[in-house]
Amino acid sequence: MGISIEEMNNMQLDVLKEIGNIGAGNAATALAKMVNRKIDMNVPKVEVLEFKEVTELLGGAEIPVCGIYFDVDGDLTGNIMFLLTMKSSRILANMLLYKEDNSEILDEIDQSALQEIGNILSGAYISSLTALTGLNLKISIPSLSLDMAGAILSVPIIQYGQVGDKVLLIETEFNEGDDNIKGYFFLVPDVDSFEILLKSLGVLE
């Protein structure tokens, strides 16, 4: 049986938080290249939260959000989810598609653009993790869902039940001009993956 996030000590959590910081920086760089604009990034907040707290952070279970979901495979297995508010989703879609649209309705082209952005940003995080750990990791083609926060989070909650009820969440804010984009990454690991990750980082014997 592997280690769960509840069992990690402060040093182990600090190492994971530093990976979150590095990954967020790489994601900001990747996003800037993708949209060909200057993207500023606030220092990311990396926290260990219960799933119900993630829902509260987003504004409640009934708040509509955009969820982009990936399987992680290789030396670690699990899932990554990237969550965006509908406002942030619209700003990102507009940036990539070079349009001005204030509608909260995201059509198929908008959704395709968001999937590609999610792919680039999650790829930046995974690349950071691979570089720091030496582990071989790859992510699946993203799946996108537009639904209430509670419904979208119910999928990882069910999968994560065997490991624990807490999750490592990276809250990242990107700024382009007057536009502010807030995204939430979290890793949903399979039962043995935290132990493998911590050993590869040298903070678990």
Side-chain angles (χ1 to χ4, degrees):
M1 187 75 173
I3 187 173
S4 73
I5 199 163
E6 289 94 336
E7 298 169 314
M8 290 185 187
N9 61 38
N10 288 337
M11 183 178 72
Q12 292 165 345
L13 288 172
D14 284 345
V15 169
L16 291 183
K17 288 178 179 181
E18 185 55 29
I19 289 174
N21 288 335
I22 294 168
N26 288 349
T29 301
L31 180 61
K33 288 180 180 177
M34 189 177 191
V35 300
N36 197 28
R37 300 187 194 186
K38 184 178 184 295
I39 302 291
D40 296 314
M41 184 192 76
N42 296 347
V43 176
K45 298 176 186 174
V46 186
E47 299 178 273
V48 176
L49 298 174
E50 294 183 12
F51 272 105
K52 64 181 181 181
E53 293 176 300
V54 177
T55 307
E56 291 165 5
L57 190 65
L58 291 166
E62 297 184 359
I63 293 293
V65 295
C66 173
I68 306 169
Y69 193 73
F70 304 82
D71 292 323
V72 179
D73 201 4
D75 294 334
L76 299 179
T77 54
N79 309 99
I80 287 177
M81 183 171 275
F82 180 43
L83 292 179
L84 290 160
T85 63
M86 295 306 291
K87 181 179 179 181
S88 292
S89 299
R90 167 50 63 200
I91 293 169
L92 275 176
N94 285 353
M95 284 170 61
L96 189 60
L97 297 170
Y98 297 99
K99 67 178 186 178
E100 293 185 14
D101 185 344
N102 294 320
S103 167
E104 291 193 4
I105 304 298
L106 298 168
D107 62 24
E108 286 187 17
I109 295 174
D110 294 325
Q111 291 180 41
S112 179
L114 288 168
Q115 277 185 303
E116 185 56 27
I117 288 171
N119 203 24
I120 294 292
L121 297 183
S122 294
Y125 275 91
I126 287 294
S127 294
S128 302
L129 200 53
T130 298
L132 288 165
T133 62
L135 297 173
N136 178 31
L137 304 172
K138 50 186 180 288
I139 56 176
S140 68
I141 295 171
S143 59
L144 182 142
S145 178
L146 302 173
D147 207 333
M148 291 184 295
I152 286 180
L153 285 169
S154 67
V155 175
I157 287 172
I158 292 168
Q159 292 186 333
Y160 198 71
Q162 62 175 329
V163 185
D165 63 355
K166 292 186 179 179
V167 66
L168 185 77
L169 180 121
I170 305 163
E171 180 182 339
T172 310
E173 275 190 56
F174 303 113
N175 298 289
E176 192 276 323
D178 294 330
D179 289 327
N180 175 266
I181 301 140
K182 188 175 284 189
Y184 304 88
F185 280 93
F186 57 91
L187 176 67
V188 184
D190 288 346
V191 68
D192 295 323
S193 288
F194 267 134
E195 184 174 355
I196 295 168
L197 176 59
L198 293 172
K199 284 181 176 178
S200 72
L201 292 165
V203 289
L204 183 69
E205 295 182 0

CSV table of all heavy atoms in Angstrom, one decimal, residues 97-138:
chain,number,residue,atom,x,y,z
A,97,LEU,N,-8.3,32.3,-30.4
A,97,LEU,CA,-9.1,32.4,-31.7
A,97,LEU,C,-9.1,33.8,-32.2
A,97,LEU,O,-9.7,34.1,-33.2
A,97,LEU,CB,-10.5,31.9,-31.5
A,97,LEU,CG,-10.6,30.4,-31.1
A,97,LEU,CD1,-12.1,30.1,-30.7
A,97,LEU,CD2,-10.2,29.5,-32.2
A,98,TYR,N,-8.4,34.7,-31.5
A,98,TYR,CA,-8.3,36.2,-31.9
A,98,TYR,C,-9.7,36.7,-32.2
A,98,TYR,O,-10.0,37.3,-33.2
A,98,TYR,CB,-7.4,36.3,-33.1
A,98,TYR,CG,-6.0,35.9,-32.9
A,98,TYR,CD1,-5.6,34.6,-33.3
A,98,TYR,CD2,-5.1,36.8,-32.3
A,98,TYR,CE1,-4.2,34.2,-33.0
A,98,TYR,CE2,-3.8,36.4,-32.0
A,98,TYR,CZ,-3.4,35.1,-32.4
A,98,TYR,OH,-2.1,34.7,-32.1
A,99,LYS,N,-10.6,36.6,-31.2
A,99,LYS,CA,-11.9,37.2,-31.4
A,99,LYS,C,-12.4,37.9,-30.1
A,99,LYS,O,-11.7,37.7,-29.0
A,99,LYS,CB,-12.9,36.1,-31.8
A,99,LYS,CG,-13.2,35.0,-30.7
A,99,LYS,CD,-14.2,34.0,-31.3
A,99,LYS,CE,-14.7,33.1,-30.2
A,99,LYS,NZ,-15.7,32.1,-30.7
A,100,GLU,N,-13.4,38.6,-30.2
A,100,GLU,CA,-14.0,39.2,-29.0
A,100,GLU,C,-15.5,38.7,-28.9
A,100,GLU,O,-16.3,39.0,-29.7
A,100,GLU,CB,-14.0,40.8,-29.1
A,100,GLU,CG,-12.6,41.4,-29.1
A,100,GLU,CD,-12.6,42.9,-29.1
A,100,GLU,OE1,-13.7,43.5,-28.9
A,100,GLU,OE2,-11.5,43.5,-29.4
A,101,ASP,N,-15.7,38.0,-27.8
A,101,ASP,CA,-17.0,37.4,-27.6
A,101,ASP,C,-17.2,37.4,-26.1
A,101,ASP,O,-16.5,36.8,-25.4
A,101,ASP,CB,-17.0,36.0,-28.2
A,101,ASP,CG,-18.4,35.3,-28.1
A,101,ASP,OD1,-19.2,35.8,-27.4
A,101,ASP,OD2,-18.6,34.3,-28.8
A,102,ASN,N,-18.3,38.0,-25.7
A,102,ASN,CA,-18.6,38.1,-24.3
A,102,ASN,C,-19.6,37.0,-23.8
A,102,ASN,O,-20.0,37.0,-22.7
A,102,ASN,CB,-19.0,39.5,-23.9
A,102,ASN,CG,-17.9,40.5,-24.1
A,102,ASN,OD1,-16.8,40.2,-23.8
A,102,ASN,ND2,-18.3,41.7,-24.6
A,103,SER,N,-20.0,36.2,-24.7
A,103,SER,CA,-21.0,35.2,-24.4
A,103,SER,C,-20.5,34.1,-23.5
A,103,SER,O,-19.3,33.8,-23.5
A,103,SER,CB,-21.5,34.5,-25.7
A,103,SER,OG,-22.2,33.3,-25.4
A,104,GLU,N,-21.3,33.6,-22.6
A,104,GLU,CA,-20.9,32.5,-21.7
A,104,GLU,C,-21.1,31.2,-22.3
A,104,GLU,O,-20.8,30.1,-21.8
A,104,GLU,CB,-21.7,32.6,-20.4
A,104,GLU,CG,-21.3,33.8,-19.5
A,104,GLU,CD,-21.8,33.7,-18.1
A,104,GLU,OE1,-22.4,32.7,-17.8
A,104,GLU,OE2,-21.6,34.7,-17.3
A,105,ILE,N,-21.7,31.2,-23.6
A,105,ILE,CA,-21.9,29.9,-24.3
A,105,ILE,C,-20.6,29.6,-25.1
A,105,ILE,O,-20.1,30.5,-25.9
A,105,ILE,CB,-23.1,30.0,-25.3
A,105,ILE,CG1,-24.3,30.4,-24.5
A,105,ILE,CG2,-23.3,28.7,-26.0
A,105,ILE,CD1,-24.8,29.4,-23.4
A,106,LEU,N,-20.0,28.4,-24.9
A,106,LEU,CA,-18.8,28.0,-25.6
A,106,LEU,C,-19.2,27.1,-26.7
A,106,LEU,O,-19.7,26.0,-26.4
A,106,LEU,CB,-17.8,27.4,-24.7
A,106,LEU,CG,-17.3,28.3,-23.5
A,106,LEU,CD1,-16.6,27.4,-22.5
A,106,LEU,CD2,-16.4,29.4,-24.1
A,107,ASP,N,-19.0,27.5,-28.0
A,107,ASP,CA,-19.4,26.6,-29.1
A,107,ASP,C,-18.3,25.5,-29.3
A,107,ASP,O,-17.3,25.5,-28.6
A,107,ASP,CB,-19.7,27.4,-30.4
A,107,ASP,CG,-18.5,28.2,-30.9
A,107,ASP,OD1,-17.4,27.8,-30.6
A,107,ASP,OD2,-18.7,29.2,-31.6
A,108,GLU,N,-18.5,24.7,-30.3
A,108,GLU,CA,-17.5,23.6,-30.6
A,108,GLU,C,-16.1,24.1,-30.9
A,108,GLU,O,-15.1,23.5,-30.4
A,108,GLU,CB,-18.0,22.7,-31.7
A,108,GLU,CG,-19.2,21.8,-31.4
A,108,GLU,CD,-19.6,20.9,-32.5
A,108,GLU,OE1,-18.7,20.7,-33.4
A,108,GLU,OE2,-20.7,20.3,-32.5
A,109,ILE,N,-16.0,25.2,-31.6
A,109,ILE,CA,-14.7,25.7,-31.9
A,109,ILE,C,-14.0,26.3,-30.6
A,109,ILE,O,-12.8,26.0,-30.4
A,109,ILE,CB,-14.8,26.9,-32.9
A,109,ILE,CG1,-15.3,26.3,-34.3
A,109,ILE,CG2,-13.4,27.6,-33.1
A,109,ILE,CD1,-15.6,27.3,-35.3
A,110,ASP,N,-14.8,26.9,-29.8
A,110,ASP,CA,-14.3,27.4,-28.5
A,110,ASP,C,-13.8,26.2,-27.6
A,110,ASP,O,-12.7,26.3,-27.1
A,110,ASP,CB,-15.3,28.1,-27.7
A,110,ASP,CG,-15.8,29.4,-28.3
A,110,ASP,OD1,-14.9,30.1,-28.9
A,110,ASP,OD2,-17.0,29.8,-28.2
A,111,GLN,N,-14.6,25.2,-27.6
A,111,GLN,CA,-14.2,24.0,-26.8
A,111,GLN,C,-13.0,23.3,-27.3
A,111,GLN,O,-12.1,22.8,-26.5
A,111,GLN,CB,-15.4,23.0,-26.7
A,111,GLN,CG,-16.6,23.6,-25.9
A,111,GLN,CD,-17.8,22.6,-25.9
A,111,GLN,OE1,-17.6,21.4,-25.7
A,111,GLN,NE2,-19.0,23.2,-26.0
A,112,SER,N,-12.9,23.2,-28.6
A,112,SER,CA,-11.7,22.6,-29.2
A,112,SER,C,-10.4,23.5,-28.9
A,112,SER,O,-9.4,22.9,-28.6
A,112,SER,CB,-11.9,22.6,-30.8
A,112,SER,OG,-10.7,22.0,-31.4
A,113,ALA,N,-10.6,24.8,-28.9
A,113,ALA,CA,-9.4,25.7,-28.5
A,113,ALA,C,-9.1,25.4,-27.1
A,113,ALA,O,-7.9,25.4,-26.7
A,113,ALA,CB,-9.8,27.1,-28.8
A,114,LEU,N,-10.0,25.3,-26.2
A,114,LEU,CA,-9.8,25.1,-24.8
A,114,LEU,C,-9.1,23.7,-24.5
A,114,LEU,O,-8.2,23.6,-23.7
A,114,LEU,CB,-11.0,25.2,-24.0
A,114,LEU,CG,-11.6,26.6,-23.8
A,114,LEU,CD1,-13.0,26.6,-23.2
A,114,LEU,CD2,-10.7,27.5,-22.9
A,115,GLN,N,-9.5,22.7,-25.3
A,115,GLN,CA,-8.9,21.4,-25.2
A,115,GLN,C,-7.4,21.5,-25.5
A,115,GLN,O,-6.5,21.0,-24.9
A,115,GLN,CB,-9.5,20.4,-26.1
A,115,GLN,CG,-10.8,19.8,-25.5
A,115,GLN,CD,-11.3,18.7,-26.3
A,115,GLN,OE1,-11.6,18.9,-27.5
A,115,GLN,NE2,-11.5,17.5,-25.8
A,116,GLU,N,-7.1,22.3,-26.6
A,116,GLU,CA,-5.7,22.4,-27.0
A,116,GLU,C,-4.9,23.2,-26.0
A,116,GLU,O,-3.8,22.9,-25.7
A,116,GLU,CB,-5.7,23.1,-28.4
A,116,GLU,CG,-4.3,23.2,-29.0
A,116,GLU,CD,-3.6,21.9,-29.1
A,116,GLU,OE1,-4.2,20.9,-29.3
A,116,GLU,OE2,-2.3,21.9,-29.0
A,117,ILE,N,-5.5,24.3,-25.4
A,117,ILE,CA,-4.8,25.0,-24.4
A,117,ILE,C,-4.6,24.1,-23.1
A,117,ILE,O,-3.5,24.1,-22.6
A,117,ILE,CB,-5.7,26.3,-24.0
A,117,ILE,CG1,-5.6,27.3,-25.1
A,117,ILE,CG2,-5.2,26.9,-22.6
A,117,ILE,CD1,-6.6,28.5,-24.9
A,118,GLY,N,-5.6,23.4,-22.7
A,118,GLY,CA,-5.4,22.4,-21.6
A,118,GLY,C,-4.3,21.4,-21.9
A,118,GLY,O,-3.5,21.1,-21.0
A,119,ASN,N,-4.2,21.0,-23.1
A,119,ASN,CA,-3.2,20.0,-23.5
A,119,ASN,C,-1.8,20.6,-23.4
A,119,ASN,O,-0.9,20.0,-22.8
A,119,ASN,CB,-3.4,19.6,-25.0
A,119,ASN,CG,-2.8,18.3,-25.3
A,119,ASN,OD1,-2.5,17.5,-24.4
A,119,ASN,ND2,-2.5,18.1,-26.6
A,120,ILE,N,-1.6,21.9,-23.8
A,120,ILE,CA,-0.3,22.6,-23.8
A,120,ILE,C,0.0,22.8,-22.3
A,120,ILE,O,1.2,22.6,-21.9
A,120,ILE,CB,-0.4,23.9,-24.5
A,120,ILE,CG1,-0.6,23.7,-26.0
A,120,ILE,CG2,0.8,24.8,-24.3
A,120,ILE,CD1,0.5,23.0,-26.7
A,121,LEU,N,-0.9,23.3,-21.5
A,121,LEU,CA,-0.6,23.7,-20.1
A,121,LEU,C,-0.3,22.4,-19.3
A,121,LEU,O,0.7,22.4,-18.5
A,121,LEU,CB,-1.7,24.4,-19.5
A,121,LEU,CG,-2.1,25.8,-20.1
A,121,LEU,CD1,-3.2,26.5,-19.3
A,121,LEU,CD2,-0.9,26.7,-20.1
A,122,SER,N,-1.1,21.4,-19.5
A,122,SER,CA,-0.8,20.1,-18.7
A,122,SER,C,0.5,19.5,-19.2
A,122,SER,O,1.2,18.9,-18.4
A,122,SER,CB,-2.0,19.2,-18.9
A,122,SER,OG,-3.2,19.7,-18.3
A,123,GLY,N,0.8,19.6,-20.5
A,123,GLY,CA,2.0,19.1,-21.0
A,123,GLY,C,3.2,19.8,-20.4
A,123,GLY,O,4.3,19.2,-20.1
A,124,ALA,N,3.1,21.1,-20.1
A,124,ALA,CA,4.1,21.9,-19.5
A,124,ALA,C,4.4,21.4,-18.0
A,124,ALA,O,5.5,21.3,-17.6
A,124,ALA,CB,3.8,23.4,-19.5
A,125,TYR,N,3.3,21.1,-17.3
A,125,TYR,CA,3.4,20.6,-16.0
A,125,TYR,C,4.1,19.2,-16.0
A,125,TYR,O,5.0,18.9,-15.2
A,125,TYR,CB,2.1,20.5,-15.3
A,125,TYR,CG,1.6,21.7,-14.6
A,125,TYR,CD1,0.9,22.7,-15.3
A,125,TYR,CD2,2.0,22.0,-13.3
A,125,TYR,CE1,0.5,23.9,-14.7
A,125,TYR,CE2,1.5,23.2,-12.7
A,125,TYR,CZ,0.8,24.1,-13.4
A,125,TYR,OH,0.4,25.3,-12.8
A,126,ILE,N,3.7,18.3,-16.9
A,126,ILE,CA,4.2,17.0,-16.9
A,126,ILE,C,5.7,17.0,-17.3
A,126,ILE,O,6.5,16.3,-16.8
A,126,ILE,CB,3.4,16.1,-17.9
A,126,ILE,CG1,2.1,15.8,-17.3
A,126,ILE,CG2,4.2,14.8,-18.3
A,126,ILE,CD1,2.1,14.9,-16.0
A,127,SER,N,6.0,17.9,-18.2
A,127,SER,CA,7.4,18.1,-18.6
A,127,SER,C,8.3,18.5,-17.5
A,127,SER,O,9.4,18.0,-17.3
A,127,SER,CB,7.6,19.1,-19.8
A,127,SER,OG,6.9,18.6,-20.9
A,128,SER,N,7.8,19.4,-16.6
A,128,SER,CA,8.5,19.8,-15.4
A,128,SER,C,8.7,18.7,-14.5
A,128,SER,O,9.8,18.4,-13.9
A,128,SER,CB,7.7,20.9,-14.7
A,128,SER,OG,7.5,22.0,-15.5
A,129,LEU,N,7.7,17.9,-14.3
A,129,LEU,CA,7.8,16.7,-13.4
A,129,LEU,C,8.8,15.7,-13.9
A,129,LEU,O,9.6,15.1,-13.2
A,129,LEU,CB,6.4,16.1,-13.3
A,129,LEU,CG,6.1,15.2,-12.1
A,129,LEU,CD1,6.4,15.9,-10.8
A,129,LEU,CD2,4.6,14.8,-12.1
A,130,THR,N,8.7,15.5,-15.2
A,130,THR,CA,9.7,14.5,-15.9
A,130,THR,C,11.1,15.0,-15.7
A,130,THR,O,12.0,14.2,-15.3
A,130,THR,CB,9.3,14.4,-17.4
A,130,THR,OG1,8.0,13.8,-17.5
A,130,THR,CG2,10.3,13.4,-18.0
A,131,ALA,N,11.3,16.3,-15.9
A,131,ALA,CA,12.7,16.8,-15.8
A,131,ALA,C,13.2,16.7,-14.4
A,131,ALA,O,14.4,16.4,-14.2
A,131,ALA,CB,12.7,18.3,-16.3
A,132,LEU,N,12.4,16.9,-13.4
A,132,LEU,CA,12.8,17.0,-12.0
A,132,LEU,C,13.0,15.6,-11.4
A,132,LEU,O,13.8,15.3,-10.5
A,132,LEU,CB,11.8,17.8,-11.2
A,132,LEU,CG,11.8,19.3,-11.4
A,132,LEU,CD1,10.6,19.9,-10.8
A,132,LEU,CD2,13.1,19.9,-10.8
A,133,THR,N,12.2,14.6,-11.9
A,133,THR,CA,12.2,13.3,-11.3
A,133,THR,C,12.9,12.2,-12.1
A,133,THR,O,13.3,11.2,-11.6
A,133,THR,CB,10.7,12.8,-11.1
A,133,THR,OG1,10.1,12.7,-12.4
A,133,THR,CG2,10.0,13.7,-10.2
A,134,GLY,N,13.0,12.5,-13.5
A,134,GLY,CA,13.6,11.4,-14.3
A,134,GLY,C,12.6,10.3,-14.7
A,134,GLY,O,13.0,9.3,-15.3
A,135,LEU,N,11.4,10.5,-14.2
A,135,LEU,CA,10.4,9.5,-14.5
A,135,LEU,C,9.8,9.6,-15.9
A,135,LEU,O,9.8,10.7,-16.5
A,135,LEU,CB,9.2,9.6,-13.5
A,135,LEU,CG,9.5,9.4,-12.0
A,135,LEU,CD1,8.3,9.7,-11.2
A,135,LEU,CD2,9.9,7.9,-11.8
A,136,ASN,N,9.4,8.5,-16.5
A,136,ASN,CA,8.8,8.6,-17.8
A,136,ASN,C,7.3,8.7,-17.7
A,136,ASN,O,6.6,7.8,-17.2
A,136,ASN,CB,9.1,7.3,-18.6
A,136,ASN,CG,8.5,7.2,-19.9
A,136,ASN,OD1,8.3,8.2,-20.6
A,136,ASN,ND2,8.1,6.0,-20.4
A,137,LEU,N,6.8,9.9,-18.1
A,137,LEU,CA,5.4,10.1,-18.0
A,137,LEU,C,4.8,10.6,-19.3
A,137,LEU,O,5.4,11.3,-20.1
A,137,LEU,CB,5.1,11.3,-16.9
A,137,LEU,CG,5.7,11.0,-15.5
A,137,LEU,CD1,5.6,12.3,-14.7
A,137,LEU,CD2,5.1,9.9,-14.8
A,138,LYS,N,3.5,10.3,-19.5
A,138,LYS,CA,2.8,10.8,-20.7
A,138,LYS,C,1.3,11.0,-20.3
A,138,LYS,O,0.8,10.3,-19.4
A,138,LYS,CB,3.0,9.8,-21.9
A,138,LYS,CG,2.6,8.4,-21.6
A,138,LYS,CD,3.0,7.6,-22.9
A,138,LYS,CE,2.7,6.1,-22.7
A,138,LYS,NZ,3.6,5.4,-21.8
